Amino acid sequence: MKKNIFVIGLNAFNLEKLKRLRGAEDMEFHGVIEPAAVYDTEEFDIPAMLSEAEAQLSAFDGSIDAIVGYMDFPVSTMLPILCGKFGVRTTSLESLLKCEHKFWSRTVQQEVIPEHIPAFTAFDPFDDKALSRIGEAGLSFPFFVKPIKSSGSRLGFRIDNPEDFDHAIERLRAEIGSIQEPFNFVLDQADLPKEIRQVHGGYCMAEQVIGGRQCTVEGYVHDGEVVPYGIVDSIRYPQVLSFFYYMYPSRLPANVQDKMGELTKRIMSHVGFDNSAFNIEFFWDEVQDRIWLLEVNTRISQSHCDLFEKVDGISHQQVTVDLGLGQRPDMPSREGDYKVGAEFFYRVFFTDATVSRVPPPEEIEAAAAKVPGTFIRSQVHEGMRLSELPEQDSYSYAIAYIWMGASKQSTLLWNYERVLKNIHFEFTDIEE
């Protein structure tokens, strides 16, 4: 009998990768909740989505062997609720929230790795005295602000002066409600300490500015054993906060990678996270030789799937599926066709604009064919405003993703420029 794997928000791109996993011939993959409901919107009706998923799963005539996902909020937070109701494996909702609730996460990190986290405080964006309260907590300019729960750098701002703070507060007050309501629903399902329950989904975090060479440690916990298995470098555009590309494997020094692995094991064991995949974003401040923990995510990075497939031979969705089935992950290493893999973010740095031209499929296919192994996915369509794109940072818009493999980093960059010259987007009504 084939194992039935239910995937929240399953789309065609990821289904093809899942079908190439080890043991996939003995698995049947089923989508739960339409991809558009979790990809193409920033409005999440979690109770309705849970009801839809429960109805589909209850009506299924067969075994439910695993319920998994590879996306951030709201998918990650729905999984413990669904898995608990249908008796399949994942981590507890409380251990997941110790990672995803940014204030709770910093609080538990402070208990075991205080020298590797920045100064932080929570604040209410609707409090007119918020800036002075942040100062009373010991933070001074510059600092970052972000919602207690966000994804994709959404509503995150660097604050260098009071004017920056006023701008951030205006945006946060206008938009944080779309995060607050669904996240509060999830918080209501969990057993929370009183001091954490008071910091609800409408709150924000202020944190000391940290920086350096950024990377992501991908890992999992199986029956209490924390296993980091790969590090991906996150490289930004010069002088801005937006990501340019992710590259695997990391080029950080081996001793730095080893130290990040130790910190990963310490924090994930401390929060009680188990039988699930995760990733942790770190900075290495090369000048001070200091490692900072940026944040913990309670799922694999979907952006890294193709990178692992190119370098290691299969997507690290292998980890998610194996854990969902209660098995130790069977993840290969360096069995792929390339020495390095990357995902590039083709961005425009407008305040807003209307998309007047998107390269047609034949143009995209011809551009990708310039470099074997390249895959291009446009994120926009003609006539849309860039501000309609979900999950964007506060400084740019990613209009296309480009995945590539090569023998070394310099070749990746050279090939990216070759491909980019052959795809053409156009815009009107540009707001600089």
Side-chain angles (χ1 to χ4, degrees):
M1 294 286 290
K2 287 192 174 185
K3 298 288 187 180
N4 291 300
I5 317 295
F6 291 84
V7 186
I8 299 181
L10 180 63
N11 61 14
F13 177 74
N14 283 284
L15 179 58
E16 288 306 309
K17 294 193 177 301
L18 288 166
K19 288 179 177 179
R20 294 195 290 270
L21 299 183
R22 289 178 168 179
E25 64 277 6
D26 297 320
M27 303 174 190
E28 195 74 42
F29 297 101
H30 310 269
V32 182
I33 304 175
E34 285 299 312
V38 289
Y39 278 104
D40 301 334
T41 180
E42 291 179 346
E43 301 293 330
F44 303 117
D45 187 342
I46 292 183
M49 286 192 282
L50 285 171
S51 295
E52 176 189 339
E54 289 173 26
Q56 180 182 343
L57 290 162
S58 297
F60 182 72
D61 185 19
S63 62
I64 297 172
D65 300 296
I67 306 171
V68 300
Y70 41 74
M71 293 184 62
D72 202 336
F73 186 75
V75 172
S76 56
T77 49
M78 289 193 288
L79 282 170
I81 299 171
L82 284 172
C83 289
K85 288 188 175 182
F86 289 91
V88 291
R89 302 239 298 189
T90 193
T91 196
S92 69
L93 181 58
E94 287 75 18
S95 67
L96 179 140
L97 289 171
K98 285 180 184 179
C99 302
E100 293 212 5
H101 184 297
K102 293 187 185 299
F103 181 71
W104 199 4
S105 185
R106 284 302 193 204
T107 301
V108 295
Q109 291 164 23
Q110 193 174 50
E111 294 168 359
V112 288
I113 55 168
E115 66 277 21
H116 297 285
I117 66 169
F120 67 94
T121 189
F123 69 93
D124 181 352
F126 292 92
D127 178 1
D128 291 334
K129 296 182 179 180
L131 184 56
S132 62
R133 298 190 199 282
I134 290 169
E136 291 166 4
L139 285 164
S140 57
F141 301 122
F143 56 87
F144 281 106
V145 298
K146 51 191 171 184
I148 283 295
K149 177 61 204 155
S150 65
S151 57
S153 300
R154 184 187 174 204
L155 295 179
F157 302 90
R158 178 186 167 107
I159 309 298
D160 289 297
N161 51 55
E163 291 75 22
D164 287 347
F165 188 76
D166 289 343
H167 169 71
I169 287 296
E170 182 179 0
R171 286 279 306 278
L172 286 162
R173 288 179 175 180
E175 301 179 36
I176 200 169
S178 63
I179 300 170
Q180 177 178 351
E181 184 175 347
F183 193 53
N184 280 349
F185 173 84
V186 173
L187 295 178
D188 287 342
Q189 315 306 307
D191 182 14
L192 305 178
K194 181 179 178 181
E195 64 274 16
I196 300 302
R197 186 168 293 283
Q198 293 173 344
V199 184
H200 57 70
Y203 268 65
C204 293
M205 287 280 286
E207 292 192 346
Q208 165 196 351
V209 170
I210 54 177
R213 292 170 63 179
Q214 188 171 350
C215 68
T216 301
V217 175
E218 294 279 359
Y220 64 85
V221 190
H222 178 251
D223 287 347
E225 181 187 6
V226 183
V227 181
Y229 59 85
I231 300 182
V232 178
D233 287 337
S234 304
I235 297 158
R236 298 179 187 269
Y237 282 84
Q239 308 304 316
V240 294
L241 295 175
S242 301
F243 289 115
F244 179 18
Y245 62 102
Y246 300 146
M247 185 179 71
Y248 175 67
S250 172
R251 296 186 66 191
L252 290 173
N255 66 309
V256 173
Q257 296 190 43
D258 290 344
K259 180 62 176 178
M260 288 177 177
E262 292 173 18
L263 294 173
T264 295
K265 293 177 180 179
R266 203 183 309 173
I267 187 60
M268 298 312 290
S269 295
H270 182 64
V271 301
F273 195 83
D274 202 5
N275 296 313
S276 289
F278 66 87
N279 67 68
I280 303 182
E281 298 174 52
F282 287 100
F283 284 115
W284 175 48
D285 183 332
E286 192 170 0
V287 175
Q288 299 185 39
D289 191 22
R290 185 170 184 176
I291 294 171
W292 297 101
L293 191 154
L294 177 59
E295 67 179 15
V296 182
N297 301 300
T298 57
R299 36 78 189 168
I300 64 167
S301 171
Q302 185 182 177
S303 291
H304 299 164
C305 288
D306 190 72
L307 281 62
F308 278 91
E309 187 169 35
K310 281 181 165 52
V311 175
D312 288 339
I314 54 174
S315 163
H316 63 326
Q317 288 166 322
Q318 185 80 51
V319 172
T320 297
V321 171
D322 283 345
L323 289 169
L325 292 170
Q327 304 168 178
R328 184 179 180 85
D330 182 20
M331 188 70 195
S333 178
R334 307 305 188 264
E335 295 180 16
D337 296 331
Y338 301 92
K339 296 292 186 184
V340 294
E343 178 191 11
F344 289 91
F345 298 89
Y346 181 20
R347 297 183 181 272
V348 292
F349 293 85
F350 303 143
T351 300
D352 207 351
T354 299
V355 181
S356 57
R357 183 186 190 274
V358 174
E362 59 271 17
E363 184 177 314
I364 287 178
E365 290 171 10
K370 297 284 183 183
V371 180
T374 296
F375 180 78
I376 303 169
R377 189 164 68 184
S378 171
Q379 299 300 296
V380 296
H381 58 80
E382 289 183 12
M384 76 179 293
R385 293 290 284 172
L386 291 176
S387 54
E388 297 172 26
L389 277 170
E391 298 295 323
Q392 301 297 304
D393 65 36
S394 300
Y395 304 95
S396 66
Y397 297 97
I399 60 172
Y401 302 146
I402 303 175
W403 289 270
M404 311 182 78
S407 58
K408 55 186 178 180
Q409 183 181 24
S410 58
T411 305
L412 273 175
L413 293 166
W414 174 261
N415 287 341
Y416 172 70
E417 293 298 330
R418 286 176 59 200
V419 169
L420 210 60
K421 290 176 181 177
N422 292 277
I423 54 174
H424 305 287
F425 293 84
E426 295 178 5
F427 306 90
T428 58
D429 305 319
I430 296 171
E431 297 178 22
E432 295 289 353

